[in-house]
């Protein structure tokens, strides 16, 4: 039986290797379609933005690229957490409104403790803890309902998204939280590199130069701290998924949930082994030849 299977695999291998160039191109594109789509989007904006603005705006600038990176960091962090959920064959539709609730809780906590006399940095730490605690409570409730009550994750997270949305709007009074400390906007707005274009400019590292007027308008922030922190978190997530036991378990959970017939096949295999006849004694080649030479009985 093993020889037959090896022979079938050997016969299938040349067929899999003889791919035509169009099929190879389609296979390579299917593996890197996200990067291809991103490249097409960049080309589209590079071509269309100057045409629409009659040459007044250029898409490929340092400032525009850094603004795009800063704008996508919240979405990237949300997608990073959603990646683990989707790999484990789950779904969470409430992540957007949970993030909004966390931001509202953080702002309210910072404002409350700062007005109570706490310095700015400890106030920011308290706001961070409040945001994590609020998001953790929502995730814990969702997990309990999904795991213990066996309600589909799609239904649970869809319903919790509306509840969390209402709570966030009520706590913020349907407006922006005001009255925050004056220096709170400075957190997270620094960068690793500062570049001043034109005359009297140059590169400045880790600290923003003391400039104003025309030089300030010509200064670009390269690699802001939110982008750097997000890149570090992405690298850690990739390492966890590929190199740790938790990542392998995440893939295994998703693979097992996509095979609903696995328990049935396992029980069938057990029952077949239990009801099968006992193994027969091996037969020598001599007896095989002798039995083959005898006439068949009717």
């Amino acid at each position: 039986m093993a020889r037959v299977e090896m022979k079938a695999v050997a016969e299938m291998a040349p067929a899999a290797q003889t791919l035509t160039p169009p099929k190879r191109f389609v296979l390579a594109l299917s593996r890197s379609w996200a990067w291809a789509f991103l490249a097409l989007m960049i080309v589209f904006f590079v071509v269309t933005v100057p045409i629409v603005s009659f040459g007044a705006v250029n898409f490929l600038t340092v400032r525009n690229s850094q603004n795009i990176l800063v704008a996508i960091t919240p979405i990237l962090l949300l997608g990073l957490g959603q990646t683990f959920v989707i790999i484990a064959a789950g779904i969470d539709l409430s992540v957007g409104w949970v993030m909004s609730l966390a931001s509202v809780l953080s702002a309210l906590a910072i404002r409350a403790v700062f007005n109570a006399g706490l310095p700015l940095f400890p106030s920011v730490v308290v706001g961070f803890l409040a945001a994590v605690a609020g998001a953790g409570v929502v995730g814990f409730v969702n997990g309990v309902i999904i795991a213990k009550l066996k309600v589909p994750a799609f239904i649970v997270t869809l319903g919790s998204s509306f509840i969390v949305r209402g709570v966030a709007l009520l706590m913020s009074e349907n407006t922006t939280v005001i009255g925050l400390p004056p220096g709170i906007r400075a957190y997270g707005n620094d960068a690793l590199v500062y570049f001043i274009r034109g005359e009297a400019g140059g590169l400045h590292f880790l600290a923003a130069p003391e400039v104003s007027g025309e030089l300030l308008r010509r200064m670009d922030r390269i690699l802001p701290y939110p982008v750097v922190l997000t890149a570090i978190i992405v690298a850690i997530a990739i390492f966890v998924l590929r190199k740790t036991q938790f990542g392998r378990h995440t893939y295994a959970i998703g693979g097992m949930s996509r095979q609903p017939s696995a328990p049935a096949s396992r029980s069938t295999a057990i029952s077949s082994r239990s009801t099968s006849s006992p193994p027969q004694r091996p037969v020598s080649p001599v007896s095989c030849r002798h039995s083959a030479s005898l006439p068949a009985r009717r």
Side-chain angles (χ1 to χ4, degrees), residues 85-103:
V85 178
I86 294 177
I87 289 176
I91 192 66
D92 190 353
L93 303 179
S94 63
V95 289
W97 285 108
V98 170
M99 183 183 68
S100 66
L101 176 64
S103 63

Side-chain angles (χ1 to χ4, degrees), residues 146-236:
I146 294 170
K148 299 301 182 181
L149 302 182
K150 306 301 180 182
V151 181
F154 187 93
I155 303 299
V156 175
T157 57
L158 179 63
S160 64
S161 65
F162 291 101
I163 298 174
V164 171
R165 175 187 178 184
V167 173
L169 293 177
L170 285 175
M171 297 185 67
S172 64
E173 298 179 355
N174 199 18
T175 185
T176 305
V177 179
I178 60 176
L180 295 176
I184 193 66
R185 294 183 180 274
Y187 279 84
N189 288 331
D190 294 330
L192 292 180
V193 182
Y194 295 87
F195 175 63
I196 301 177
R197 294 172 278 109
E199 299 180 359
L203 290 174
H204 302 268
F205 298 93
L206 299 180
E210 298 292 337
V211 294
S212 60
E214 182 63 25
L215 291 179
L216 182 60
R217 285 191 291 270
R218 288 194 276 117
M219 185 177 69
D220 295 328
R221 294 177 174 86
I222 302 176
L223 295 180
Y225 286 138
V227 176
V228 176
L229 183 60
T230 302
I232 294 174
I233 295 175
V234 169
I236 293 174

Side-chain angles (χ1 to χ4, degrees), residues 42 46 58-62 64:
I42 293 175
V46 168
N58 185 13
F59 182 79
L60 288 179
T61 60
V62 175
N64 189 38

